Amino acid sequence: MAKVPAAVVAAGGLVGGYGVARWTRRRELGGVVLAAAGAAAAQQWKRQAGGKAAGALTVTYVAAFAGSHPLAKKVGAWPAVFGVAGAVALASWAVSDRRG
Protein backbone atom coordinates (compact mmCIF):
# COMPACT_ATOMS: atom_id res chain seq x y z
CA MET A 1 0.00 0.00 0.00
CA ALA A 2 1.35 3.43 -0.96
CA LYS A 3 2.10 5.95 1.77
CA VAL A 4 -0.09 9.05 1.82
CA PRO A 5 2.11 12.18 1.80
CA ALA A 6 1.99 14.27 4.97
CA ALA A 7 0.95 17.25 2.85
CA VAL A 8 -2.24 15.43 1.88
CA VAL A 9 -2.88 14.31 5.46
CA ALA A 10 -2.47 17.84 6.83
CA ALA A 11 -4.55 19.53 4.13
CA GLY A 12 -7.17 16.82 4.46
CA GLY A 13 -7.31 17.41 8.20
CA LEU A 14 -8.02 21.09 7.75
CA VAL A 15 -10.63 20.58 5.03
CA GLY A 16 -12.11 17.46 6.61
CA GLY A 17 -12.25 18.98 10.08
CA TYR A 18 -14.16 21.97 8.80
CA GLY A 19 -16.44 19.81 6.68
CA VAL A 20 -17.30 17.47 9.55
CA ALA A 21 -17.94 20.39 11.91
CA ARG A 22 -20.15 22.15 9.39
CA TRP A 23 -22.17 19.16 8.21
CA THR A 24 -22.70 17.54 11.60
CA ARG A 25 -23.10 20.88 13.40
CA ARG A 26 -20.78 19.44 16.05
CA ARG A 27 -17.61 21.50 16.29
CA GLU A 28 -15.98 18.98 18.60
CA LEU A 29 -16.24 16.26 15.94
CA GLY A 30 -14.49 18.56 13.49
CA GLY A 31 -11.85 19.13 16.17
CA VAL A 32 -11.30 15.38 16.48
CA VAL A 33 -10.68 15.11 12.73
CA LEU A 34 -8.39 18.16 12.80
CA ALA A 35 -6.38 16.83 15.75
CA ALA A 36 -6.10 13.26 14.45
CA ALA A 37 -4.86 14.40 11.04
CA GLY A 38 -2.48 16.88 12.65
CA ALA A 39 -1.02 14.18 14.89
CA ALA A 40 -0.61 11.78 11.98
CA ALA A 41 1.06 14.45 9.84
CA ALA A 42 3.35 15.45 12.72
CA GLN A 43 4.55 11.86 13.08
CA GLN A 44 5.39 11.74 9.38
CA TRP A 45 7.09 15.14 9.52
CA LYS A 46 9.26 14.02 12.43
CA ARG A 47 10.19 10.75 10.72
CA GLN A 48 11.00 12.42 7.39
CA ALA A 49 12.47 15.79 8.37
CA GLY A 50 13.32 15.67 12.08
CA GLY A 51 11.97 17.17 15.26
CA LYS A 52 12.61 20.85 14.56
CA ALA A 53 10.94 20.71 11.17
CA ALA A 54 8.02 18.75 12.62
CA GLY A 55 7.61 21.37 15.34
CA ALA A 56 7.66 24.21 12.82
CA LEU A 57 5.15 22.46 10.55
CA THR A 58 2.88 21.70 13.50
CA VAL A 59 2.92 25.38 14.47
CA THR A 60 2.11 26.20 10.84
CA TYR A 61 -0.81 23.74 10.91
CA VAL A 62 -2.27 25.24 14.09
CA ALA A 63 -1.68 28.80 12.84
CA ALA A 64 -3.43 27.95 9.58
CA PHE A 65 -6.44 26.67 11.50
CA ALA A 66 -6.53 29.81 13.65
CA GLY A 67 -5.89 32.09 10.69
CA SER A 68 -8.68 30.60 8.65
CA HIS A 69 -11.25 32.13 10.99
CA PRO A 70 -10.50 35.83 10.37
CA LEU A 71 -9.73 35.06 6.73
CA ALA A 72 -13.20 33.52 6.37
CA LYS A 73 -14.77 36.85 7.30
CA LYS A 74 -13.09 38.41 4.28
CA VAL A 75 -13.30 35.70 1.60
CA GLY A 76 -15.83 33.16 2.88
CA ALA A 77 -15.46 29.96 4.85
CA TRP A 78 -14.65 27.42 2.15
CA PRO A 79 -12.18 29.64 0.26
CA ALA A 80 -10.40 30.37 3.54
CA VAL A 81 -10.18 26.70 4.47
CA PHE A 82 -8.95 25.69 1.01
CA GLY A 83 -6.44 28.54 1.02
CA VAL A 84 -4.86 27.66 4.35
CA ALA A 85 -4.96 23.94 3.51
CA GLY A 86 -3.06 24.66 0.30
CA ALA A 87 -0.50 26.75 2.17
CA VAL A 88 0.07 24.00 4.73
CA ALA A 89 0.34 21.37 2.00
CA LEU A 90 2.91 23.46 0.16
CA ALA A 91 4.95 24.00 3.33
CA SER A 92 4.78 20.29 4.16
CA TRP A 93 5.91 19.31 0.70
CA ALA A 94 8.77 21.83 0.71
CA VAL A 95 10.07 20.90 4.16
CA SER A 96 9.29 17.21 4.45
CA ASP A 97 7.57 15.33 1.64
CA ARG A 98 9.96 16.06 -1.19
CA ARG A 99 12.72 14.41 0.85
CA GLY A 100 10.84 11.16 0.50
Side-chain angles (χ1 to χ4, degrees):
M1 180 159 74
K3 182 180 85 167
V4 177
V8 174
V9 174
L14 289 162
V15 173
Y18 176 68
V20 167
R22 181 172 176 131
W23 291 315
T24 65
R25 300 182 193 271
R26 302 280 311 264
R27 293 177 73 177
E28 64 275 10
L29 292 179
V32 168
V33 172
L34 181 78
Q43 285 180 334
Q44 281 186 256
W45 292 329
K46 186 175 181 183
R47 190 170 45 253
Q48 291 174 193
K52 287 184 182 181
L57 288 167
T58 300
V59 167
T60 302
Y61 183 78
V62 173
F65 166 69
S68 69
H69 292 81
L71 183 60
K73 292 179 181 182
K74 297 180 190 287
V75 300
W78 280 112
V81 170
F82 285 128
V84 299
V88 168
L90 182 60
S92 177
W93 176 82
V95 173
S96 178
D97 291 335
R98 71 179 173 158
R99 295 178 181 211

